[in-house]
Every structure is written in structure tokens, then in C-alpha cells.
Amino acid sequence: MASEDMLMVNISNQESTDLHISEKQHNQSPSRQKWTAKKTATGKRKASFENQDYGSAKQRKLNTKTNTKNKDQEASEFPSKPKASPKKGLHNGHDGPFIKTSSLFRYNPEIPDVFSPVVTQVKEKVFTTYSFQELDLHPHLVATLNKVLNISSMTSVQKQTIPVLTSGKDAVVRSQTGSGKTLAYGIPLIQSLQAVQPKIQRSDGPLAVVIVPTRELAQQSFQIFQKLLKPFTWIVPGVLMGGEKRKAEKARLRKGINVLISTPGRLVDHIKNTLSIAFSAVRWLVLDEADRTLDLGFEKDLTVILNALNAGGSSRQTVLLSATLTEGLSRLTSISMKDPVYIQVLEPSLSSQSSPSQQADSYAMPDRLQQYMVVVPSKLRLVCLAAFILARCKFERDQKLIVFISSCEAVEFLDTVLSTVLCGKSSTANKQQLSINFLRLHGNMEQEERTEVFQEFSQSKTGVLLCTDVAARGLDLPQVTWIVQFNPPSSAAEYVHRVGRTARIGARGNGLLFLTPSETAYMDVLANHNISLSEMKMEDILSTLMQDERFRGRGNWDKKKSAGAREQHMRERATVLQTEFENYVHGSEESVQAAKKALQSFVRAYTAYPSALKHIFHIRHLHLGHAAKSFGLRDAPQGLSSTANKSTKKTAKGKDNKRPAIKFTARERMASLIRSEYTSGISGESKSKKKRTKKKANAEDELTEG
């Protein structure tokens, strides 16, 4: 046990100074040790780390001073506490005697050496030397661009797209995120509509329809059109999106909207249920972030919209925009466009050397984007994320982070646990408090709250936005310095869209991708699309904790300068932080259930990776007990399993008993995947073998439960 990193913590309400045990206590006399043992048995709070570097030498010194009689007495008094299983001594409240926090640094898979394949990254020159005044645009529109939007020169995609669209041709525009695609279609659209004679009236209805995949992007596009249309007050923009009151939207449609921006689902709803909506005058159809619209399952909705537009009978100009091109987009192009012009902005050197198929597989990345990846074992993911946030938000200035997470439940859980523990609000927290503005954004939130969060994060100079992929497409969130992908995206295209929230319009930005040791082959998937990442070491991230005195352990490491002592110091602090998380999670039944729901949603998302990536992201490669640790759960696998079994027993009472026992409910299947921290949960052992294994595990409990 001397080599194990073990933390014994009582989670009763007491001053945190009790956690720091002085060095003198290791040199106590045997009688003093017996007295301490008795106090321990009565529930006094005590924390101790046992480690090879520090504890073993002290213990040997104690052993030489202690006679055999005292050893026998101590052996008879001590065994129940250290050898007690965490399952038996665990309480969800703060009244439990001791909590046994297993080491974060044992039983982890070995972190492999990561070799990033050498690739030629596709570069795209963002800015040009051409100004909008060189185009044949209305003077008031140019003045609005200069004075209201503070833009004078065109980006590369705008330089190539605006002349094509002003000539009346259909176009498919592919360019990196943050390159100015909204203005690339917005400027020629407004230039066209303001020139219509006689002047457009509000009662004419929609003359331009802009389809975007998410509500936030719809709101953002609407605000841009409001600014562009300031000189042209007779052209009325409007937005339709889910979460808003349908009655108010119907009233706006009756009054008249000339530039209609909408999400697909809400527009289909109005096509079916609102009599006042008519598309007979539509001249423009814009499909922004079209690949994401298809990914979200809106293909049928787009078909309904196209049929409604075709029924209107008017000829129209169609524009399709995205940072990536997929097979679905090719189908959409074939049914909605006539002889489109394909616009793809690449550096001349690459475009001349690469074939069209190679260019289609390569994604253009912002020139000033620094991309990193870090390999983190499952048990350490939560601590590592927290340390990274502390490094950016406490020890650096003006840092603005977006953290992408796989599910809504996990976003909710991490928002609560990170803001509570890192900002010093937990029950065991120190008196120091840190102000970090944590915000959350996901699809299960009410629209009003989503809009408030979007606006608040856009206007703030610092903060951390925890979100699902609802924020991955098209959103222009100013001054974002870091994109953290806590859960890897389901495709290289999705990776491109996520990191595209930073380094926008020529600004600097950084991206960090979290991978477990079994997921490092994902680097090759990205390399196939000419995306290269540099490695960031987990130890460098965790070393931030050595600057934060809130997570100081009991070891006196300041005087030791060896690499081993420094590593042990870092590990000790990481364990203290993990214990803070676990204390909070197990502090109430509500937080335990929230953590379990988050874990379940994480496992569901993990099983949803596409078949092409199953060799990397497969449930058999996932150590479910260690994954539970990253949600602050000590024995969640057993807890989930028993909870599921109890609920199924209750529901089974009133049902037909003839139902075959082989069939499982969804909850039972999920529970069968979740096992203890030290088994993978995937083995198909027989009942008798499981019993033998359980007996053996109980006999070796002290050795295996580290």
C-alpha cells in the first residue's frame, strides 16, 4: 500500500485547515497513535496521503520505534477502517465517517507516443486588398459597410462570390468558417432588392428566403441584415424560429416580411398552417450552412420548402454555402440549382497542385489557428479540464473559452460542478473564491434563455461557454481565444466547424482536442483531411494546480526539487481537486442523480459514432468505471445497475409474467454496460464464474480497490 496514492477524507462540515496534517504527526509515539486511532473511530475528520516517496521512509522509522506488543494492539484496532470497502462506508450526505478516493494515477492505460502525420494544411488567404468601392454597389450600401459594420476591404470569398451573384447566377460557395460568407451573399442580395422598380412594399411578401440550421444563427443573420438594410427602410427583414410564439410570427407574416430568415422546421410549420404566407414573389433562396442542415435531419423539410417555392412559379437565384461539401449537398444542388458556379477559395499553390477530389477532401483552416491535442486517461478527464480552465481564466487575462460536450445532460452537470468547485462555492471549499463566468447552451433550453446566453457571451470579454454542437455552426462569437473539444466530434467536417468559432476574420485562436489513449487513431482521420495537431502534455496542464493553494495536499513538497517530487506534488493536488468534485457530487442525492444522467448520456453519445469511426470509438474500448470517475462518481456503476434493476422489478409486477426473460429494457441494457471501476463491464461470464470472481475480489479488496 505504500506505493499507492490514496486519499482518506471525511466529508463532514469542518474547517478545511483540518485537511493539512503537519509533518510532526508522522513522528508520534505509539500511545499518541492509539489515541489518534480512537479519535478517528469517533468520526473526527482526517486526511492522509500515502505515497512511496514520502510515506514509506516515515513509516519505516515508526516501525523501528514500535515494539511488537504495540504492533499487535494497533493491528487489532486499525483493520476495520482502512480495509472497509468504499461501498459500505459511502454516504450520499455529509455525515459519512470516511470517504476512500481511489488513485487517479493507478490502473490507467499507458499513454502512447503520438506521431502526427506530416500533412500540407490547406491555407486560405482571408483578406484581400480590394475595397467594396471598386464594386458597382449602391453608395449607401458601401457607406453602411464602412460606418456601421466597420468593414472597408473584402475577404477572399467575398471578392470571388459577390461578382458572380450580382450577375444573377446560382452558386455553391465553399470557404473556411469565419471568412465572411454571410456578407458574401447578403451584399449582392440587398443590392438586387434595392434596385427593384417599382420599390418593394412590405405587402409584397418574401422576396428572399434564407434557411439556416439553428436558432442562434438565424438570430445572428437577422441582426446583420438589419444593419445592412438601414439605408433601405422600405425593405423589411424578419426571422422565424422555433421557441418563439407562433401567433406573433403569424402577425408579422400578415404585415409582410421581404427578407425572410428561418430555421427549416419552423418555416415548414408555417407553410402547413399559416395561410398568409406566399412565395409567388421569391427571387432569392439562400441555404447557409447547408451541410449542417442536412446533418440535423432537415432533408425532408428542405424538400417541403423547395416544393412550396416551386409552386410559387417565380424564377429565383439559389445560393448554397458551407465550409464543407458532402454527398448530401451534391444531391441538394442537383434538385435545387441550375448550372451553378462552384466557388472554392484556396491558395494558388495548392489549387494548382491538387486534383478536385483531393481539394474536396481537404478542409481550409484559418491561418492563425493553433491546433493542439492532449491524451488523457478517462479517470483524469474532469480534473484535466478543470485545470485547463483554471490555467486560462485564473492565471491568464482576457481568455474566452468554448467547451464542446456531447450531450445536454453532460453540459448541465459540468456547468454546475465546475462553477461550484472552481469558484469556491462547494461545501468543503476554502474561503478563497474565484470569479469565472460559466455559461451553458444546448438544445433543451428554452429559446428565451438560449438567446440571453448567446447575447451575454457575445458581449463578454472573458468566460467559459459549455455547449453542445448547437453552437458549432456559423455563430460569430467575438474574441473567442480557445475552442476545447472535450468529446471528439463525429467527423472531420464537424471538427472544422467547431474550431471555426475562433480565429475568425484573421484573428488569432487556439483549439484543444481531448482524446483517451484508445482514441489516438482519430489523429489519422483528421490527417486524411489535411488537418494536423500538435501534442500538449497532460502533465503540463495539471501542473497549473501547483499554483493554486486551494488544492494543496498534506505533503511538504516545496523543499524538494527533484522531478519525482514535483510529479508527486502535482498528483497529490490533482487528487485533492478530484476529491472536491466527488464530495460535491455525493453531497446530495440530487447531484448524484445528475451525475448518473450525465454518464448515461455520455455512453449513449459514445455508441452513436458513425460506423466508419467504430474502430476508434467503440464501447468495448471504453473503461466505464473510469468514465464514471470523470463525472465525480465513486461507485456509480454499481449504483446505476442496482437502480435499474429495482425499477425494472417494480414495473414488472403489473405486467405479463410470460414475457421472455431474454428481452431487456433500454435501462437494463444501459445498466448492463456500466460496471465497477476495475472491470470493463463487457465480459460475458457465467453466473458461477462471476460468483467466484466476486469472492476473490472481496478477499483482495484492499489491493484492488485503489
Side-chain angles (χ1 to χ4, degrees):
M1 291 294 289
S3 62
E4 293 184 20
D5 303 318
M6 187 77 70
L7 180 64
M8 305 280 289
V9 182
N10 179 297
I11 54 171
S12 59
N13 291 321
Q14 195 170 348
E15 290 296 322
S16 61
T17 52
D18 291 346
L19 284 171
H20 303 296
I21 304 174
S22 67
E23 203 172 324
K24 295 178 182 178
Q25 287 177 301
H26 279 276
N27 295 320
Q28 293 170 348
S29 63
S31 59
R32 181 73 174 175
Q33 288 181 343
K34 290 170 64 178
W35 180 86
T36 304
K38 290 179 180 179
K39 296 296 288 183
T40 300
T42 61
K44 280 288 183 180
R45 181 173 183 154
K46 193 178 182 72
S48 66
F49 284 95
E50 295 179 19
N51 56 71
Q52 192 169 3
D53 295 336
Y54 186 81
S56 58
K58 296 284 183 181
Q59 190 63 44
R60 284 195 298 271
K61 191 173 180 181
L62 277 174
N63 290 343
T64 58
K65 292 182 179 180
T66 310
N67 58 38
T68 307
K69 181 178 178 180
N70 285 339
K71 285 183 182 177
D72 294 337
Q73 288 176 344
E74 288 171 10
S76 64
E77 292 175 20
F78 269 90
S80 59
K81 283 295 173 186
K83 294 183 181 179
S85 170
K87 304 170 195 175
K88 296 177 182 177
L90 182 63
H91 296 275
N92 288 335
H94 290 280
D95 54 348
F98 277 93
I99 292 301
K100 197 172 186 179
T101 299
S102 60
S103 169
L104 293 175
F105 298 93
R106 301 191 70 225
Y107 306 110
N108 286 323
E110 185 178 349
I111 297 178
D113 293 328
V114 179
F115 300 100
S116 183
V118 178
V119 299
T120 304
Q121 285 207 214
V122 181
K123 297 293 180 65
E124 181 178 312
K125 188 178 180 181
V126 177
F127 288 105
T128 67
T129 56
Y130 296 92
S131 69
F132 289 106
Q133 293 177 342
E134 297 178 36
L135 299 173
D136 186 18
L137 299 176
H138 194 288
H140 290 170
L141 182 55
V142 175
T144 301
L145 290 168
N146 292 335
K147 295 178 182 179
V148 179
L149 296 175
N150 298 316
I151 299 171
S152 57
S153 61
M154 289 182 279
T155 64
S156 297
V157 67
Q158 292 163 2
K159 170 70 171 59
Q160 295 191 34
T161 305
I162 292 174
V164 171
L165 296 183
T166 51
S167 68
K169 296 178 181 178
D170 289 0
V172 177
V173 183
R174 181 191 178 194
S175 179
Q176 70 181 40
T177 57
S179 60
K181 290 193 291 292
T182 304
L183 289 180
Y185 72 79
I187 291 170
L189 189 155
I190 291 171
Q191 173 67 20
S192 169
L193 295 185
Q194 63 83 28
V196 173
Q197 293 296 335
K199 277 188 176 182
I200 293 170
Q201 297 182 359
R202 187 169 187 174
S203 57
D204 291 338
L207 279 84
V209 176
V210 180
I211 305 297
V212 295
T214 65
R215 303 172 188 179
E216 286 73 23
L217 185 53
Q219 191 70 40
Q220 177 180 291
S221 301
F222 172 62
Q223 291 169 356
I224 291 174
F225 272 99
Q226 279 184 312
K227 293 176 181 177
L228 289 174
L229 287 168
K230 276 192 173 182
F232 314 110
T233 54
W234 61 91
I235 303 174
V236 179
V239 61
L240 307 176
M241 57 186 182
E244 297 292 336
K245 292 182 179 178
R246 193 179 285 103
K247 189 175 181 181
E249 290 182 345
K250 285 186 175 185
R252 292 204 300 272
L253 286 169
R254 279 196 299 270
K255 290 181 181 178
I257 295 174
N258 304 128
V259 179
L260 180 62
I261 301 144
S262 178
T263 53
R266 180 47 66 98
L267 184 56
V268 168
D269 184 33
H270 282 291
I271 289 172
K272 293 179 177 178
N273 300 306
T274 303
L275 297 176
S276 58
I277 193 167
F279 298 111
S280 56
V282 171
R283 296 170 178 240
W284 285 79
L285 171 62
V286 179
L287 301 173
D288 198 2
E289 298 291 350
D291 59 338
R292 181 59 172 170
T293 304
L294 295 177
D295 290 343
L296 291 173
F298 288 124
E299 192 164 358
K300 290 183 179 179
D301 289 341
L302 288 178
T303 303
V304 173
I305 293 168
L306 288 172
N307 290 338
L309 291 171
N310 293 335
S314 61
S315 61
R316 66 177 184 272
Q317 186 175 353
T318 305
V319 188
L320 188 150
L321 304 100
S322 180
T324 55
L325 294 179
T326 62
E327 292 181 9
L329 289 184
S330 300
R331 292 197 305 272
L332 185 60
T333 300
S334 64
I335 64 173
S336 64
M337 309 180 83
K338 297 177 182 178
D339 301 322
V341 177
Y342 286 85
I343 299 170
Q344 182 165 316
V345 183
L346 296 175
E347 284 189 350
S349 59
L350 184 84
S351 57
S352 61
Q353 296 171 7
S354 305
S355 65
S357 61
Q358 287 175 322
Q359 292 178 22
D361 289 337
S362 302
Y363 298 132
M365 307 299 293
D367 192 34
R368 303 181 76 182
L369 172 66
Q370 297 291 323
Q371 301 175 84
Y372 302 95
M373 55 79 64
V374 59
V375 182
V376 184
S378 291
K379 272 202 284 189
L380 286 150
R381 281 166 53 81
L382 180 58
V383 169
C384 198
L385 175 64
F388 184 82
I389 291 173
L390 283 174
R392 303 284 86 79
C393 297
K394 182 175 181 179
F395 302 109
E396 295 180 14
R397 296 184 61 186
D398 299 330
Q399 295 291 317
K400 199 169 175 180
L401 285 66
I402 298 180
V403 182
F404 282 101
I405 301 162
S406 59
S407 68
C408 302
E409 293 86 353
V411 168
E412 288 285 344
F413 168 74
L414 288 173
D415 174 59
T416 303
V417 74
L418 288 172
S419 60
T420 303
V421 174
L422 295 189
C423 297
K425 301 171 187 174
S426 62
S427 58
T428 59
N430 299 277
K431 296 178 181 178
Q432 289 179 294
Q433 287 201 358
L434 178 65
S435 177
I436 300 177
N437 185 24
F438 281 97
L439 297 169
R440 72 195 200 288
L441 184 66
H442 58 76
N444 287 348
M445 294 167 60
E446 293 294 330
Q447 182 55 44
E448 185 177 351
E449 188 179 8
R450 282 171 64 169
T451 303
E452 288 177 3
V453 169
F454 175 66
Q455 296 293 344
E456 182 180 350
F457 190 71
S458 296
Q459 295 166 9
S460 65
K461 292 184 178 180
T462 62
V464 180
L465 177 66
L466 305 167
C467 63
T468 57
D469 281 329
V470 73
R473 295 298 181 110
L475 295 187
D476 185 19
L477 297 162
Q479 300 173 332
V480 174
T481 54
W482 279 91
I483 300 296
V484 179
Q485 304 193 49
F486 193 53
N487 301 116
S490 59
S491 66
E494 199 60 45
Y495 173 88
V496 171
H497 282 288
R498 285 181 173 187
V499 295
R501 298 315 98 210
T502 188
R504 298 179 68 81
I505 311 292
R508 291 184 180 275
N510 306 276
L512 177 63
L513 173 66
F514 274 68
L515 296 174
T516 63
S518 65
E519 297 167 353
T520 52
Y522 191 69
M523 295 283 287
D524 296 324
V525 175
L526 296 178
N528 291 337
H529 297 276
N530 282 358
I531 299 171
S532 177
L533 288 74
S534 304
E535 185 178 8
M536 185 182 290
K537 294 294 184 183
M538 177 186 69
E539 291 77 10
D540 295 337
I541 296 175
L542 293 178
S543 63
T544 303
L545 300 175
M546 297 171 70
Q547 303 175 50
D548 197 324
E549 291 305 305
R550 295 179 299 167
F551 308 115
R552 184 181 181 88
R554 63 167 298 282
N556 186 17
W557 305 104
D558 296 334
K559 299 176 183 178
K560 301 183 179 182
K561 297 181 180 180
S562 68
R566 179 179 173 83
E567 182 181 3
Q568 190 61 37
H569 189 190
M570 178 266 292
R571 290 184 172 193
E572 184 176 290
R573 292 199 174 211
T575 307
V576 171
L577 177 55
Q578 175 69 21
T579 306
E580 289 284 348
F581 284 127
E582 293 182 10
N583 287 351
Y584 169 75
V585 168
H586 290 272
S588 69
E589 182 62 28
E590 183 181 0
S591 57
V592 170
Q593 292 305 319
K596 289 180 179 181
K597 282 180 64 178
L599 174 60
Q600 285 179 325
S601 67
F602 164 74
V603 174
R604 283 197 301 269
Y606 207 84
T607 59
Y609 278 97
S611 57
L613 295 178
K614 285 293 186 185
H615 65 289
I616 302 172
F617 305 102
H618 197 285
I619 193 70
R620 290 185 180 275
H621 303 156
L622 187 67
H623 195 307
L624 298 166
H626 288 189
K629 197 82 173 170
S630 69
F631 288 88
L633 291 163
R634 297 190 181 103
D635 66 340
Q638 294 89 338
L640 279 174
S641 181
S642 61
T643 303
N645 290 336
K646 286 176 185 177
S647 63
T648 51
K649 284 178 183 177
K650 288 179 182 178
T651 55
K653 286 182 180 178
K655 293 187 177 181
D656 188 1
N657 292 329
K658 295 180 181 180
R659 182 180 178 182
I662 299 175
K663 294 183 180 179
F664 296 98
T665 66
R667 294 187 69 178
E668 285 174 323
R669 281 197 300 271
M670 177 60 64
S672 69
L673 293 174
I674 311 293
R675 292 290 183 262
S676 71
E677 183 180 351
Y678 298 105
T679 61
S680 66
I682 307 299
S683 59
E685 299 174 340
S686 63
K687 289 184 178 180
S688 59
K689 188 174 180 181
K690 284 181 180 178
K691 286 181 180 179
R692 291 196 302 272
T693 306
K694 189 174 180 180
K695 287 180 181 179
K696 186 177 180 181
N698 290 335
E700 299 177 357
D701 191 64
E702 185 176 2
L703 295 175
T704 58
E705 289 290 334

